């Protein structure tokens, strides 16, 4: 039986982390990315481990 999907380097999370995604950007796109980069960094969240466990416990209780 054949595969029903195509694998590429962007479907593998580990490969995506290795790539520098800004290498593929052209002039205007690169300027736009750098203007938004600071704002994008503020959107990153680092929840406490306890919060993650509470969410997972709640999710398991709904099964």
């Amino acid at each position: 039986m054949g595969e029903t999907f195509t694998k590429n380097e962007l479907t593998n999370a580990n490969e995506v982390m290795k790539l520098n995604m800004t290498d593929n950007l052209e002039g205007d796109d690169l300027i736009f990315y750098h203007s938004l980069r600071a704002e994008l960094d503020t959107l990153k969240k680092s929840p406490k481990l306890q919060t993650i466990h509470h969410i997972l416990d709640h999710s398991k209780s709904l099964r």
Side-chain angles (χ1 to χ4, degrees), residues 12-45:
N12 185 344
N14 293 329
E15 292 298 320
V16 171
M17 295 304 290
K18 290 180 189 175
L19 295 174
N20 185 356
M21 298 308 277
T22 58
D23 289 346
N24 298 332
L25 298 178
E26 295 179 4
D28 290 339
D29 295 329
L30 192 59
I31 292 169
F32 180 70
Y33 170 77
H34 284 296
S35 69
L36 291 179
R37 185 173 52 179
E39 292 178 32
L40 292 174
D41 288 342
T42 62
L43 295 176
K44 289 182 182 177
K45 301 293 179 193

